[in-house]
Amino acid sequence: MAEEPAAQSYPTRWKRPPVLLTHPLWRKVILFGGLVYLVLALQTVEVDWQRVYLGLERGWRFVQGFLVPDFTSRWNDIYAGLMESLTMTVTSTVAGILISVPIGIGAARNLAPAPVYLACRGIITVSRSFQEVIIAILLVAMFGFGPFAGFLTLAFATIGFLSKLLAEEIEDCDRSQIEAIRATGASWWQVVNYAVQPQVMPRLVGLSLYRLDINFRESAVIGIVGAGGIGATLNTAIDRYEYDSAGAVLIIIIAIVLVVEYSSSYIRRWVQ
C-alpha cells in the first residue's frame, strides 16, 4: 500500500508582516536607540523634588476644595463668568460654522477649482497654525480685556477645525451620487445641495456639537489670559486660594460638557 503523505502543518496564529522595516535586526536597533534616547532625555529634565514635596500639600488642599465645593460665597461672580462663557461659546461656534461651511466646500478638491482650493487651504492652514491661547493673547493686546477677544479667538479656531474636517468629509463622499446628479444636467449648486449635503450633514452636525464642547472648555483657558469668561473667575479663585470656589467652577464646567456630550448623540440620530 502506498504511504499517505504526512499531514501539513499550518500556523495556528497569524501575524501581520511588517511594512516599513522588514528585517528584524533593524527593528531591534531602532527600538534600542529609542530607549537610549528616552533615558538620556529623562536625565536632562531638572526636577526640584523639594518644590514637588511642598506642592503636594497645596494639591491636596485643592482636592479637598473640589470634594467640598462652595457654590454660594462667590455665586454672583461664578454666574457672571458662566453666562459670559456660554455667550462666547454659542456665538463663536455659530459664527465659525457659518464661515467654515463655504471655506470647507472651497477646500474640497472634488468640488472647487484649483485657485479656490489653494486659497481656502491657505486659510485653514493659517487658522490651524496657532494655539487658542496665543491668538487670545494677541487679540487681548489689540482689543483689550473682555469677552470680545474671546469671541474672536474661538471663532478663529473654529474655522480651522471645522473647515478642514468638512473638506475631508466632502472629498470622501460617494462619487457615484455626485456623478448621478451631474448627469441630469444639474448646476454646481444643485450638485452640492442634492449630492453632497445629504452625505455630510450628519457629520457636520456632529462636528459642530463637538466644536461647541471644545469652545466651552477653551473659554475657561483663554479667560486666564484676559479673554473673559469662566476662566477669569477660576483664575481669580485660585489666586486667592479659594479652592472650594474653584472646585465649584470645575464641577459646573464638567456638568455642561457632559450635557453637550450626551445630547450630541441624540441630535445626530435625529438628523440621520
Side-chain angles (χ1 to χ4, degrees):
M1 297 180 61
E3 296 183 358
E4 295 182 358
Q8 297 182 357
S9 60
Y10 295 95
T12 58
R13 297 180 60 184
W14 181 82
K15 184 178 181 181
R16 182 178 179 181
V19 179
L20 296 177
L21 301 174
T22 58
H23 200 283
L25 179 61
W26 281 111
R27 295 198 297 271
K28 293 179 181 179
V29 170
I30 292 178
L31 179 61
F32 178 76
L35 292 175
V36 171
Y37 174 78
L38 179 62
V39 172
L40 295 176
L42 290 176
Q43 292 179 354
T44 61
V45 178
E46 298 181 0
V47 180
D48 188 354
W49 294 107
Q50 184 179 3
R51 181 67 180 83
V52 173
Y53 177 76
L54 294 176
L56 291 177
E57 181 182 358
R58 297 180 181 177
W60 175 242
R61 289 168 54 192
F62 182 81
V63 172
Q64 288 178 325
F66 184 81
L67 296 177
V68 188
D70 182 10
F71 292 92
T72 58
S73 299
R74 296 178 55 85
W75 173 246
N76 292 332
D77 295 334
I78 294 175
Y79 179 79
L82 179 62
M83 291 298 102
E84 205 169 68
S85 279
L86 290 176
T87 302
M88 284 193 308
T89 299
V90 175
T91 54
S92 63
T93 303
V94 173
I97 292 172
L98 294 178
I99 300 175
S100 298
V101 170
I103 295 178
I105 295 175
R109 192 185 298 271
N110 56 344
L111 290 181
V116 177
Y117 171 80
L118 294 176
C120 292
R121 283 291 176 177
I123 296 174
I124 294 174
T125 301
V126 172
S127 179
R128 289 172 52 83
S129 298
F130 302 98
Q131 183 66 19
E132 285 86 346
V133 176
I134 300 176
I135 299 298
I137 293 174
L138 176 63
L139 293 177
V140 166
M142 293 175 59
F143 302 105
F145 295 97
F148 182 65
F151 162 76
L152 294 178
T153 300
L154 297 177
F156 185 78
T158 301
I159 294 172
F161 174 86
L162 198 60
S163 298
K164 176 178 175 60
L165 296 180
L166 178 60
E168 293 178 353
E169 188 69 18
I170 294 175
E171 291 177 347
D172 292 336
C173 285
D174 186 4
R175 296 183 180 180
S176 60
Q177 298 186 29
I178 299 177
E179 294 300 328
I181 297 298
R182 284 176 176 170
T184 63
S187 63
W188 179 88
W189 176 250
Q190 290 174 327
V191 170
V192 173
N193 190 28
Y194 293 104
V196 177
Q197 182 264 343
Q199 298 187 61
V200 303
M201 181 56 69
R203 179 66 171 166
L204 176 60
V205 172
L207 291 174
S208 300
L209 293 174
Y210 180 50
R211 188 64 215 186
L212 181 70
D213 176 8
I214 295 175
N215 284 344
F216 180 74
R217 289 185 281 112
E218 289 295 335
S219 68
V221 177
I222 63 177
I224 298 176
V225 298
I230 195 67
T233 307
L234 178 62
N235 188 41
T236 302
I238 294 176
D239 289 342
R240 295 178 178 178
Y241 300 104
E242 298 175 354
Y243 296 126
D244 49 359
S245 298
V249 173
L250 292 178
I251 290 176
I252 292 174
I253 293 174
I254 294 173
I256 294 178
V257 170
L258 285 176
V259 170
V260 176
E261 179 68 24
Y262 284 111
S263 62
S264 62
S265 60
Y266 294 99
I267 297 176
R268 286 196 301 267
R269 191 180 304 116
W270 175 72
V271 172
Q272 290 176 347

